[in-house]
């Protein structure tokens, strides 16, 4: 296949690792007896599943930030919208098993004395419809938002701030009871998904595998996009937007494409996240959540495929560990991480390693030849520091 | 049920056998008060109250107040009336003069019993009594109360009061009260038309309801016409005042936004540094106020009234110092990398929030209002709270001071020079790193000052800053980056728009609408309301 | 003069007259229509540009191509905050002409470029390209696709890309996102890139990141990117600022080569460079044309002398 050659070995190793996890983790959980040294306890499966959806979210952000230079502080909104779409499906699956036993209305609507299902809830009893909405709603919001923002050439920090304002506005909106999304409490108490009980170990293992497969597809998609001519154009837009304009490209189209694709990916991540954590509420829209995603990508190394995934896994593992040891210290650590990464490690872990490797190779080559060239590696493509 | 019936029968009996002689007593206030003594029917008590009112001696107010509170007692042995306070052993006071006359065991006394209709009568009586009070404020208040309570019978009292009144404002109020009384009476239609005309000038909701009632029920065509006209004019007045009130609320919100954003207008607007920890600078200012007030409470309670004045410079120093440290240790390495600056300062904001949460706890902290900041007053139909008023004044003062600093001082000149052409400024011998540090410290310090003001109207909690950061950026971006006037106009117009939307959309939805409007606005004019024009902007 | 006979081969295909001397430049293009058409069909430029080129070539074949107007600025005015950067400026650039624009700082040279390329909208006036199109109605990307290339004063290339990729992104062709996503490298594309790299003398740097080029090399790369765009009109802003003497000479050669088949407008301060170009010169002052003619005539114009030396 052309794409296979095109993507390079690194991407395939990454995809292989992710798919291996998709198989091995459920096996270690379900097939091995609890006493076995390699047995994975059931509580870890949804936790790791959550990390994987975070990794997909970070990868989505990386597509726009690392490659096109759009620092979105609102990706948590797309993630949450996807999550809400899935949550609405899961709510409808509860049926008459809710506290109030209403076969149609979710509990919170009965509690609010609503008589009928709002029109925007119709259709969510079908999985295919919900799955479509998981992609369509974030994608559409991103498209409309991006259409206006990019066309009027809102760039840089201005764009970052209005994306933050966007998620903030959604946060306020979803807190309202009369929006019909459960207000403060959000959607929870899910029973089953596609007929499988959501708490069962096998279902959770299945969700973990699904998340891994989604991540693998995400990696292939982003790999394909960024290694195409369009990917080169994205980097060109990131580094010298006006130049692309004066050679006839429309940077706004490039940005809109990346932003929309990225939002759809974030929506899918959110949809996989919700059944594994069992709840979706408005706090997912909080600006802090979106900005945390940025730090995952930054820690791992933006502008690389592996970086954001590695960053999301590391930072969230750190979060789990720290909140267990000393709950109060996590924000100090997170805050410190922001400062550390920007000051000391602007390329992130993967970017720094790649850069060091490239530099070493170039030095070796220039020692061999008289004057060398930089390698055309598939690693970090961060902007060269313009002096 | 049975008990009620029995009680009623007892009352009836008492009313029948009680000597009617009580009515024959003189109009001497002291003697009248004494006639509360002994077992009486409620009607008798009410009759005495009315007589006291008719006697018109302001001194009896004390006894009447005591009566409605249930402090008026009589000695079982001789029916003499006192004001009592305390339990078990009570202090006794003279009902007329209020001087203490002794102590006694409470079991020797009975309360003069009251019910709501008597309390109402007392209020009316007090109303007409206080009309003669030597204190104009008391008279003013009484005239105000009378407007809604005046009965046709009060007309005579009011006439007398109007004749005697010398203060024009009180006189107007009295005339309005009289007009209200006329409308309730069976005076001829012509008199009522006059009354409606008088009331048309008053124009509040209560009057409107009264006049609408007249317009609906009156049989006289002329009166109906007059009432309808008056109702329309009052509606207009109310509408105007509603708009004014909204504008006021809007300006008040705008001044808060201005305070929150003005420091950002320096760090972001002038220097171009995205400081996501700006809100936390505001929060530090608010916590400085809290600490100052705590110290004053424990060490020098007398200084409480000036606590804000003490907190202002301290807040400036605290936030300014934190800003200085941030600039020296962090931001100066990130100039020209706005997105990295945004991330790093966001990290700082998380650290500052958590630090404050660790030191002061996660819950709200109580910051007191000094006297001059509490209370409210009315302008027409508009209510103005003092703290809001002072905050508007304060925001404008800070704004003007900052404008002066930027335009009239050497530091301001150097700041502008550095931001416009760093290399040139450096070549002219300006120490640009020093100017950067000072500018950032100044912006942060102003945020701290804003925190002092905001501590007066908002909850002082570690999350205080978060609530303002997005709004502040919106204001600066909306107003136009690098333009202080833009920030002023931006803040005020956002405040007013917000408040005008609220009645239609609700507070939360209104905020969302404003956010969406700003986002659309930025699409249209990415460089804000007062954009700096020129071909160098894009460079 | 620089020896450029070695450039004959790669250039011939695009119909650039090799060895065009300054005197030939004014004579306009002497191209081979058939060959040029082959190229445009291979890389398929913007439909409008293609149509224009077809018409031009047809016209040339009938021998009436000479000296027709390519760009016409008609009474253009633009002010910033009351300062008139461009004041009722009218200017005609003919097809195949190379023009040098000089003028003191603030004369409106860069603003004029901004207006032609759609970066700035004028307050008044119109800019006609190829006779029919009013450029003030279009944006940068559309104008670029019609065949107007622009080189900035400060070289702007894609520093994170190799020299080759820089050229590849600039090649004339469809400019849609979907096409870019499914784009395949073709032989024609590779040949065209090799050709351009040879022209700008960066063939041995094709795999070098643009960030690692010298200042002069970046300038040439940018010119190469403009060539790849295959424009009819090139606007070049101070191409030799900060260059060594050798680089300057080389740049002058490059520009003349390009001008053999296209119109070129060069804004320059460096008088020796303008002399080296030896083309018609327009002197701008306070946003309008002060003097126009040969460099000799312009530099002897008392108005010009007054502006440059002060009154």
């Amino acid at each position: 296949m052309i794409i296979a050659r095109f993507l390079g070995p690194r991407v395939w190793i990454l995809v292989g690792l992710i798919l291996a996890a998709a198989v091995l983790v459920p096996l270690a959980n379900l097939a091995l007896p609890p006493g076995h040294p390699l047995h994975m306890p059931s509580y870890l499966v949804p936790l790791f599943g959550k990390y994987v959806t975070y990794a997909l979210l970070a990868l989505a952000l990386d597509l726009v930030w690392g490659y096109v230079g759009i620092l979105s502080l609102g990706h948590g909104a797309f993630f949450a919208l996807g999550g809400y779409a899935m949550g609405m499906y899961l709510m409808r699956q509860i049926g008459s098993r809710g506290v109030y036993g209403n076969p149609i209305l979710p509990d919170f609507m009965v509690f609010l004395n609503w008589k009928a299902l709002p029109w925007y809830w119709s259709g969510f009893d079908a999985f295919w419809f919900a799955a479509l909405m998981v992609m369509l709603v974030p994608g559409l919001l991103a498209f409309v938002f991006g259409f206006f923002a990019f066309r009027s050439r809102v760039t840089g920090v201005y764009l970052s701030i209005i994306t933050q304002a966007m998620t903030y506005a959604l946060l306020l909106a979803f807190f309202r009871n009369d929006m019909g999304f459960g207000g403060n409490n959000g959607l929870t108490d899910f029973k089953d998904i596609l007929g499988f009980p959501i708490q069962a170990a096998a279902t959770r293992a299945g969700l973990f595998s699904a998340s891994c497969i989604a991540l693998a597809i995400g990696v292939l998609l982003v790999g394909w996009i960024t290694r195409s001519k369009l990917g080169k154009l994205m980097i060109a837009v990131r580094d010298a937007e006006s130049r692309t304009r004066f050679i006839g490209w429309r940077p706004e189209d490039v940005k809109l494409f990346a932003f929309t694709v990225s939002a759809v990916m974030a929506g899918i991540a959110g949809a996989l996240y919700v059944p594994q954590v069992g709840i979706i509420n408005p706090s997912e829209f909080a600006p802090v959540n979106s900005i945390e995603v940025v730090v995952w990508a930054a820690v791992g190394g933006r502008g690389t495929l592996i970086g954001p995934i590695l960053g999301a896994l590391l930072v969230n593992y750190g979060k789990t560990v720290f909140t267990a040891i000393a709950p109060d210290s996590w924000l100090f650590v997170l805050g410190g991480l922001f400062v550390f990464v920007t000051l000391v490690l602007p390329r992130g872990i993967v970017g720094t390693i790649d850069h060091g490797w490239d530099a070493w190779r170039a030095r070796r080559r220039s020692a061999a030849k008289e004057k060398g060239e930089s390698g055309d590696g598939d690693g970090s493509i961060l902007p060269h520091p313009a002096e | 049920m049975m008990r009620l019936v029995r009680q009623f029968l007892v009352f009836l009996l008492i009313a029948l056998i009680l000597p009617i002689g009580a009515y024959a007593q003189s109009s001497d206030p002291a003697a009248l008060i004494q006639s509360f003594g002994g077992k009486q029917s409620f009607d008798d008590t009410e009759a005495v109250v009315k007589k006291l009112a008719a006697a018109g001696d302001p001194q009896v107010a004390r006894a009447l107040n005591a009566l409605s509170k249930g402090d008026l007692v009589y000695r079982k042995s001789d029916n003499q009336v006192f004001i009592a306070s305390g339990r078990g052993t009570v202090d006794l006071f003279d009902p007329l003069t209020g001087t203490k006359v002794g102590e006694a065991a409470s079991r020797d006394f009975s309360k003069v019993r009251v019910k709501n209709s008597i309390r109402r009568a007392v209020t009316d009586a007090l109303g007409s009594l206080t009309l003669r009070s030597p204190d104009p404020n008391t008279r003013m208040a009484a005239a105000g109360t009378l407007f809604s309570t005046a009965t046709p019978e009060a007309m005579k009292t009011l006439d007398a009061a109007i004749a005697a009144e010398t203060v024009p404002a009180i006189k107007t109020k009295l005339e309005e009260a009289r007009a209200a009384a006329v409308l309730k009476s069976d005076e001829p239609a012509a008199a009522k038309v006059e009354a409606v005309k008088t009331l048309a000038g008053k124009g509040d909701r209560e009057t409107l309801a009264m006049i609408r009632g007249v317009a609906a029920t009156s049989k006289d065509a002329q009166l109906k016409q007059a009432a309808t006209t008056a109702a329309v004019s009052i509606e207009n007045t109310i509408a105007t005042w509603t708009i004014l009130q909204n504008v006021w609320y809007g300006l008040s919100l705008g001044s808060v936004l201005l305070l929150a954003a003005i420091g950002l207008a320096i760090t972001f607007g002038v220097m171009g540094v995205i400081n996501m920890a700006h809100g936390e600078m505001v929060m530090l200012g608010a916590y400085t106020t809290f600490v100052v007030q705590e110290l004053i409470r424990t060490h020098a309670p007398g200084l409480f009234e000036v606590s804000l004045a003490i907190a202002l410079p301290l807040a400036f120093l605290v936030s300014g110092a934190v800003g200085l440290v941030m600039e020296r240790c962090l931001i100066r390495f990130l100039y020209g990398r706005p997105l990295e600056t945004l991330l790093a300062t966001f990290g700082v904001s998380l650290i500052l929030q958590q630090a404050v949460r660790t030191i002061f706890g996660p819950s709200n902290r109580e910051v007191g209002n000094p006297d001059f900041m509490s209370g409210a007053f009315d302008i027409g139909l508009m209510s103005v709270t003092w703290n809001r008023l002072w905050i508007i004044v304060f925001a404008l003062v800070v704004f003007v001071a900052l404008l002066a600093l930027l335009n009239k001082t050497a530091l301001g000149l150097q700041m502008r020079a550095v931001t416009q052409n760093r290399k040139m400024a450096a070549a002219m011998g300006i120490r640009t790193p020093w100017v950067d540090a000072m500018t950032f410290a100044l912006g942060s310090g102003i945020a701290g000052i804003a925190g002092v003001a905001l501590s007066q109207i908002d909850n002082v909690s570690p999350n205080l800053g978060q609530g303002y950061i997005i709004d502040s950026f919106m204001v600066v971006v909306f107003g136009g980056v690098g333009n202080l006037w833009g920030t002023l106009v931006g803040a005020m117009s956002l405040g007013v728009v917000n408040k005008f939307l609220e009645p239609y959309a609700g507070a939360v939805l209104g905020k969302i609408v404003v956010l969406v409007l700003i986002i659309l606005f930025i699409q249209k004019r990415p460089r804000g309301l007062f954009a700096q024009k020129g071909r160098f902007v894009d460079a | 003069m620089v020896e450029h006979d070695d450039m004959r081969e790669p250039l011939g295909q695009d119909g650039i007259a090799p060895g065009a001397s300054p005197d030939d430049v004014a004579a306009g293009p002497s191209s081979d229509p058939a060959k040029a058409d082959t190229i445009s069909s291979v890389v398929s430029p913007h439909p409008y540009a293609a149509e224009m080129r077809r018409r031009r070539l047809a016209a040339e074949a009938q021998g009436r191509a000479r000296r027709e107007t390519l760009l016409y600025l008609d009474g253009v005015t633009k002010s910033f905050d009351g300062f008139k950067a461009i004041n009722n400026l009218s200017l005609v650039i003919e097809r195949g002409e190379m023009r040098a624009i000089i003028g003191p700082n603030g004369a409106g040279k860069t603003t004029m470029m901004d207006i032609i390329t759609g970066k700035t909208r004028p307050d008044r006036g119109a800019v006609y390209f190829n006779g029919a199109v009013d450029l003030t109605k279009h944006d940068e990307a559309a104008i670029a696709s019609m065949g107007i290339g622009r080189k900035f004063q400060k070289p702007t290339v894609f520093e994170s890309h190799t020299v080759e990729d820089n050229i590849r992104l600039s090649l004339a062709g469809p400019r849609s996102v979907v096409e870019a996503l499914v784009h395949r490298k073709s032989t024609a594309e590779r040949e065209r890139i090799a050709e351009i790299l040879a022209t700008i003398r960066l063939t041995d740097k094709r795999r070098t990141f643009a960030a690692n080029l010298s200042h002069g090399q970046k300038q040439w790369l940018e010119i190469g990117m403009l060539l790849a765009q295959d424009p009819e009109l090139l606007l070049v802003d101070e191409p030799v600022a900060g260059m060594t003497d050798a680089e300057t000479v080389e740049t002058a050669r490059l520009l003349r080569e390009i001008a053999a088949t296209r119109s070129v407008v060069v804004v320059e301060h460096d008088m020796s460079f303008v002399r080296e170009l030896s083309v018609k010169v327009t002197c701008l002052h306070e946003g309008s044309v002060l003097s126009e003619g040969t460099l000799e005539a312009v530099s002897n114009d008392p108005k010009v002398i007054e502006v440059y030396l002060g009154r």
Side-chain angles (χ1 to χ4, degrees), chain B residues 251-274:
Chain B
L251 291 180
S252 166
L253 178 65
S255 68
V256 170
L257 291 177
L258 178 63
L259 274 174
I262 198 164
L264 204 65
I266 299 287
T267 53
F268 177 49
V270 178
M271 296 178 77
V273 172
I274 306 293

Side-chain angles (χ1 to χ4, degrees), chain A residues 2 153 224-225 228-233 235-254 257 358 371-377 381-386, chain C residues 117 119 139-142 144-145 148-152 156-162 165 168-170 174-177 179-184 204-205 207-209 211-212 222 225-226 229:
Chain A
I2 290 168
R153 302 191 187 174
W224 175 50
I225 293 175
S228 70
K229 187 180 175 189
L230 178 64
K232 294 199 191 306
L233 182 59
I235 292 166
V237 167
R238 182 191 70 190
D239 292 350
E241 184 175 336
S242 64
R243 175 37 88 204
T244 59
R245 225 183 265 289
F246 285 114
I247 56 175
W249 294 100
R250 289 186 194 278
E252 54 270 25
D253 293 353
V254 178
F257 174 80
D358 282 353
K371 211 174 174 192
E373 309 162 355
S374 296
D376 191 7
I381 37 73
L382 268 200
H384 290 261
Chain C
T117 52
K119 189 180 175 196
D139 69 355
E140 295 102 313
S145 296
I148 296 184
R150 177 175 185 183
K151 202 199 133 330
F152 292 102
T156 44
V157 293
F158 306 127
E159 308 225 324
S160 313
H161 284 320
T162 59
D165 281 340
R168 176 168 290 122
L169 282 174
S170 318
R175 290 290 193 246
S176 85
V177 167
E179 199 283 331
L181 185 60
V182 298
H183 181 82
R184 299 257 197 93
D204 60 334
K205 296 273 180 195
R207 288 195 174 274
T208 306
F209 284 118
N212 300 336
E222 198 180 9
M225 289 161 75
L226 297 188
Q229 232 183 302

Side-chain angles (χ1 to χ4, degrees), chain B residues 431-497:
Chain B
R431 290 159 62 201
T432 53
W434 182 84
V435 173
D436 287 334
M438 282 303 124
T439 314
F440 196 81
L442 173 71
S444 305
I446 288 170
I449 287 184
V452 177
L454 296 184
S455 76
Q456 294 296 304
I457 51 168
D458 204 343
N459 297 327
V460 178
S461 77
N463 300 327
L464 172 79
Q466 273 187 329
Y468 289 105
I469 184 72
I470 290 181
D471 285 341
S472 306
F473 271 111
M474 289 295 141
V475 166
V476 176
V477 172
F478 178 66
V481 171
N483 187 325
L484 273 190
W485 285 102
T487 308
L488 175 73
V489 176
M492 291 302 170
S493 43
L494 283 188
V496 171
V497 168

Side-chain angles (χ1 to χ4, degrees), chain A residues 108-157:
Chain A
F108 73 89
M109 289 189 192
V110 182
F111 183 75
L112 289 173
N113 258 329
W114 289 24
K115 296 292 170 242
L117 210 59
W119 60 266
Y120 46 82
W121 272 77
S122 53
F124 276 94
D125 48 336
F127 182 79
W128 67 267
F129 183 81
L132 192 67
M133 287 299 136
V134 159
M135 296 186 268
L136 212 57
V137 172
L140 206 64
L141 174 66
F143 184 84
V144 172
F145 186 91
F147 179 81
F148 286 113
F150 301 139
R151 201 190 49 169
S152 45
R153 302 191 187 174
V154 181
T155 54
V157 251

Side-chain angles (χ1 to χ4, degrees), chain A residues 71 148-149 152 157-158 160-162 164-165 168 172-173 291 294 302 328 331-332 334-336 338-339 342-343 346, chain B residues 274 276 330 337 339-340 342-344 346-347 350-351 354-355 357 466 470 473-474 481 508 512 515 522-523 526:
Chain A
L71 176 53
F148 286 113
S152 45
V157 251
Y158 291 90
S160 301
I161 290 169
I162 62 168
Q164 188 172 38
Y168 184 59
L172 294 177
I291 218 161
V294 174
R302 68 196 147 104
D328 285 345
L331 278 184
F332 285 124
L334 186 65
F338 274 98
V339 176
T342 43
L343 278 189
Chain B
I274 306 293
M276 294 302 274
L330 182 60
R337 291 159 65 192
L339 296 182
E340 273 94 342
L342 187 155
L343 291 179
F346 190 83
L350 290 182
I351 294 175
Q354 190 56 36
R357 204 172 281 131
Q466 273 187 329
I470 290 181
F473 271 111
M474 289 295 141
V481 171
V508 176
I512 294 170
L515 274 180
I522 294 177
Q523 319 282 347

Side-chain angles (χ1 to χ4, degrees), chain C residues 66-84:
Chain C
R66 313 214 141 201
R67 293 266 165 218
E68 67 178 283
T69 301
L70 178 66
L71 183 75
Y72 172 36
L73 272 74
D74 183 12
V76 174
T77 299
K78 174 74 192 175
S79 53
F80 297 110
D81 285 337
F83 163 71
K84 280 196 173 164

